[in-house]
Coordinates of all heavy atoms in Angstrom, one line a residue:
P889 N 18.8 -3.6 -15.1 CA 19.9 -4.2 -15.8 C 20.9 -3.1 -16.1 O 20.6 -1.9 -16.1 CB 19.3 -4.9 -17.0 CG 18.1 -3.9 -17.3 CD 17.6 -3.5 -15.9
P899 N 9.8 7.9 -13.0 CA 10.8 8.8 -13.1 C 11.8 8.6 -11.9 O 11.3 8.4 -10.8 CB 10.2 10.1 -13.0 CG 8.8 9.9 -12.8 CD 8.5 8.5 -12.8
Y912 N 20.8 10.4 -19.1 CA 20.5 9.2 -19.7 C 19.1 8.7 -19.3 O 18.2 8.3 -20.1 CB 21.6 8.1 -19.5 CG 21.1 6.7 -19.9 CD1 21.2 6.3 -21.2 CD2 20.5 5.8 -18.9 CE1 20.7 5.1 -21.6 CE2 20.1 4.6 -19.4 CZ 20.1 4.2 -20.7 OH 19.7 3.1 -21.1
S917 N 13.1 6.2 -22.8 CA 11.6 6.0 -22.8 C 11.2 4.9 -21.8 O 11.9 3.9 -21.7 CB 11.1 5.7 -24.2 OG 11.7 4.5 -24.7
T920 N 6.7 -0.2 -21.8 CA 5.2 -0.5 -21.9 C 5.0 -1.9 -22.2 O 6.0 -2.6 -22.7 CB 4.7 0.4 -23.0 OG1 5.2 0.0 -24.3 CG2 4.7 1.9 -22.7
L932 N 7.5 -25.3 -13.7 CA 6.8 -26.1 -14.6 C 6.3 -27.4 -14.0 O 5.4 -28.1 -14.6 CB 7.8 -26.4 -15.8 CG 7.8 -25.4 -16.8 CD1 8.8 -25.7 -17.9 CD2 6.5 -25.1 -17.5
S958 N 15.1 -18.2 -17.5 CA 16.5 -18.2 -16.9 C 16.5 -18.9 -15.5 O 17.6 -19.2 -15.1 CB 17.0 -16.7 -16.7 OG 16.3 -16.1 -15.6
V965 N 11.5 -11.1 -15.6 CA 10.6 -10.0 -15.7 C 11.3 -8.9 -16.3 O 10.7 -8.1 -17.1 CB 10.1 -9.7 -14.2 CG1 9.2 -8.4 -14.3 CG2 9.2 -10.8 -13.7
G989 N 3.8 -36.4 -4.8 CA 2.4 -36.2 -5.2 C 2.3 -35.1 -6.2 O 1.3 -34.5 -6.3
G1013 N 2.6 -0.6 -17.1 CA 1.4 -0.8 -17.9 C 0.9 -2.3 -18.0 O 0.1 -2.6 -18.7
S1017 N -0.9 -10.8 -11.1 CA -2.0 -11.5 -10.5 C -1.5 -12.6 -9.7 O -0.3 -13.3 -10.0 CB -2.9 -12.0 -11.6 OG -3.9 -12.8 -11.0
K1027 N -3.6 -8.8 0.9 CA -3.1 -8.4 2.2 C -2.1 -9.3 2.6 O -2.2 -10.6 2.3 CB -4.2 -8.4 3.2 CG -5.2 -7.4 3.0 CD -6.3 -7.3 4.1 CE -7.3 -6.3 3.7 NZ -8.0 -5.8 4.7
A1057 N -8.0 -21.7 -6.7 CA -9.0 -21.4 -5.8 C -9.7 -22.8 -5.4 O -10.0 -22.9 -4.3 CB -10.0 -20.4 -6.4
E1061 N -10.4 -24.5 -1.8 CA -11.7 -24.8 -1.3 C -12.0 -26.3 -1.0 O -12.7 -26.6 -0.1 CB -12.8 -24.4 -2.4 CG -12.9 -22.9 -2.5 CD -13.8 -22.6 -3.8 OE1 -14.3 -23.5 -4.4 OE2 -13.8 -21.3 -4.1

Side-chain angles (χ1 to χ4, degrees):
Y912 170 78
S917 59
T920 58
L932 279 173
S958 71
V965 174
S1017 172
K1027 294 185 183 201
E1061 289 169 8

